[in-house]
Amino acid sequence: MGEVNNDNPEMCIKNNYNLYRLIMSQLFYDGYTSIANSLACKVNPDPPCPPSDRLRNVVMRGLQYETDEQKESEQSLNLNPIQQILIGPGIDLEFQSDVICTAPEPSLYETVYVTSHKAACNAGAFSPNGQLIATGSSDTSIKILDIERMLAKAHEVGSTDNQEGQGHPVIRTLYDHFGGVTCLEFHPNKPILASGSRDGHVKFFDYSKIIMKKAIKTMADVVPIKCMSFHPLGNHMVVGTKCPIIKLYDINTVQCYVCSIPSHQHTGPVTSIKFEPGAKHFVSSSRDGSIKLWDGVSNKCVNTFERAHDGSEVCSVTFSRNGKYILSSGKDSLVKLWELSTSRCLITYTGAGTIGKQEHHTQALFNHTEEYVMFPDEVSTTLCTWNARNASRQKLLSLGHNGPIRSIVHSPNSAAFLTCSDDFRARFWYTRHLTRS
């Protein structure tokens, strides 16, 4: 079979005509003569179509190709068999558009632990293995908590988190910033936690050492840090600040690299940045209303979605696990799914912000199986959830905070998520339900 070129309108007409001939031949072959003759009256095939089983053979070969390609995509994510069973292949509208959700609906999650800071809680993160969480605050402190200990502590009446000790969920409290902590990121394969701050520094903490409360390395900037993301191999990091310029750092040498083409940069502060799991690209969003896709090697912009949210600030961007899609949220309270191969918005998730648009930045995210899209509604302080594939609204979940949600992150491999709020608190949400009720 030759390569199909759909860019030329004349070729499109010719390809469709050949497709109709295959359909008519298959209908004649299967004995649906009246239907085939009805279609022939519309298409007027010349010469007439003989009975043929070719269409079925073409479809079977195509389905086999899709299956092989999907297996290659899953293998490229380096998921072991257990992980593949637990979290599945993730969202892929090329292969599956109508799938029954097996993960628990987020409205079934419950708060099982609450930790408090002395000021607004701005940032949260899960470790890659899903065993730890970190929270960061405007009071300059960072906490690292053990998830198994939180689940065990949830059954104790009157438990607090004001001290560290044997069996206590808070295993580390870190102080080394002079300004509020704005973002956190665990290293992909080392016991390192990176933190960004309003003081313009990115600091790296080795949390494997019990007495270590100060950073082992610092990257200094002159403007507040807004967001950051580790390269999947851990040797590099991209950083976004109040300045529009995207910066790529070598973690080992602390050398900074900037795209040599000024026109590739944003024109407003960077709000979110994320590496694609396969490391080929990273994506950024900005107050200028655009989303930019960057080459992960050359550090050059390869695509721009102008006015991605109709001119509103874009608050967050993240990749699907297979790297085919970008999920974005904006101050218009809309969440959008973008397909990179066609550079278009495939799905818009609506219904949030019905009683008032958001004033602060927050994130849209997938659950661990990518079956659901989650987004906290600022005014109602509820969690809006949609079926990721068809955008159908699910039940709302009251998040129980007394202020805007500044950070929401989901566990990479289990039914758990973390919310951080201006009310000084971080809530850890969890459900033991294995399937939807």
Side-chain angles (χ1 to χ4, degrees), residues 76-78 188 229-236 238 248 274-283 293-299 319-323:
S76 69
L77 296 175
N78 297 319
S229 179
F230 274 112
H231 185 283
L233 296 180
N235 293 323
H236 296 84
V238 282
L248 174 66
K274 202 70 179 176
F275 254 108
E276 180 247 326
K280 295 180 180 178
H281 300 98
F282 62 89
V283 63
L293 184 69
W294 303 79
D295 186 280
V297 177
S298 68
N299 198 25
F319 281 98
S320 61
R321 290 203 306 271
N322 58 22

Side-chain angles (χ1 to χ4, degrees), residues 174-387:
L174 310 171
Y175 298 93
D176 205 15
H177 283 291
F178 298 101
V181 178
T182 56
C183 51
L184 296 167
E185 183 96 355
F186 281 92
H187 192 281
N189 48 52
K190 295 180 180 178
I192 301 291
L193 176 68
S195 62
S197 169
R198 295 190 184 99
D199 63 16
H201 293 83
V202 175
K203 292 182 178 288
F204 300 89
F205 298 88
D206 183 350
Y207 57 85
S208 66
K209 300 177 181 177
I210 298 177
I211 62 173
M212 181 68 69
K213 294 183 182 292
K214 299 294 184 180
I216 59 173
K217 184 176 292 187
T218 299
M219 297 190 310
D221 208 317
V222 295
V223 288
I225 308 299
K226 301 293 290 182
C227 51
M228 59 190 179
S229 179
F230 274 112
H231 185 283
L233 296 180
N235 293 323
H236 296 84
M237 169 181 276
V238 282
V239 176
T241 68
K242 273 199 170 182
C243 169
I245 309 300
I246 300 291
K247 298 176 182 179
L248 174 66
Y249 285 92
D250 184 308
I251 301 300
N252 300 313
T253 64
V254 198
Q255 181 71 39
C256 178
Y257 301 92
V258 175
C259 178
S260 60
I261 306 173
S263 61
H264 282 201
Q265 301 290 348
H266 286 287
T267 58
V270 181
T271 57
S272 180
I273 198 163
K274 202 70 179 176
F275 254 108
E276 180 247 326
K280 295 180 180 178
H281 300 98
F282 62 89
V283 63
S284 64
S285 63
S286 169
R287 286 188 188 173
D288 64 16
S290 70
I291 296 172
K292 287 182 177 287
L293 184 69
W294 303 79
D295 186 280
V297 177
S298 68
N299 198 25
K300 293 181 179 179
C301 179
V302 295
N303 199 0
T304 300
F305 301 92
E306 299 285 359
R307 295 179 58 83
H309 284 258
D310 296 325
S312 296
E313 292 183 30
V314 184
C315 301
S316 71
V317 283
T318 189
F319 281 98
S320 61
R321 290 203 306 271
N322 58 22
K324 293 182 178 182
Y325 310 100
I326 291 173
L327 188 72
S328 71
S329 67
K331 279 198 172 181
D332 56 0
S333 295
L334 295 178
V335 179
K336 296 185 176 184
L337 185 72
W338 303 83
E339 184 179 48
L340 295 185
S341 63
T342 59
S343 299
R344 64 193 179 103
C345 176
L346 278 185
I347 302 175
T348 299
Y349 305 92
T350 62
T354 54
I355 59 175
K357 301 300 181 183
Q358 65 186 85
E359 296 181 7
H360 304 94
H361 289 173
T362 191
Q363 302 84 39
L365 67 161
F366 292 108
N367 74 325
H368 60 302
T369 61
E370 296 187 348
E371 292 174 317
Y372 296 105
V373 168
M374 304 160 60
F375 180 73
D377 184 275
E378 181 178 302
V379 179
S380 63
T381 62
T382 58
L383 181 70
C384 297
T385 305
W386 299 267
N387 181 300

Side-chain angles (χ1 to χ4, degrees), residues 396-434:
L396 295 175
L397 173 67
S398 176
L399 293 175
H401 285 286
N402 296 319
I405 308 299
R406 292 307 184 97
S407 178
I408 178 170
V409 285
H410 201 286
S411 168
N413 52 22
S414 65
F417 68 90
L418 178 73
T419 53
C420 304
S421 171
D422 273 3
D423 65 6
F424 300 8
R425 294 176 174 85
R427 290 178 175 268
F428 177 71
W429 299 80
Y430 182 80
T431 181
R432 298 185 185 277
H433 295 274
L434 298 179

Side-chain angles (χ1 to χ4, degrees), residues 64 66-76:
Q64 182 60 47
E66 282 192 348
T67 301
D68 294 342
E69 190 176 73
Q70 186 174 21
K71 288 180 180 177
E72 291 177 4
S73 176
E74 292 174 9
Q75 291 171 358
S76 69

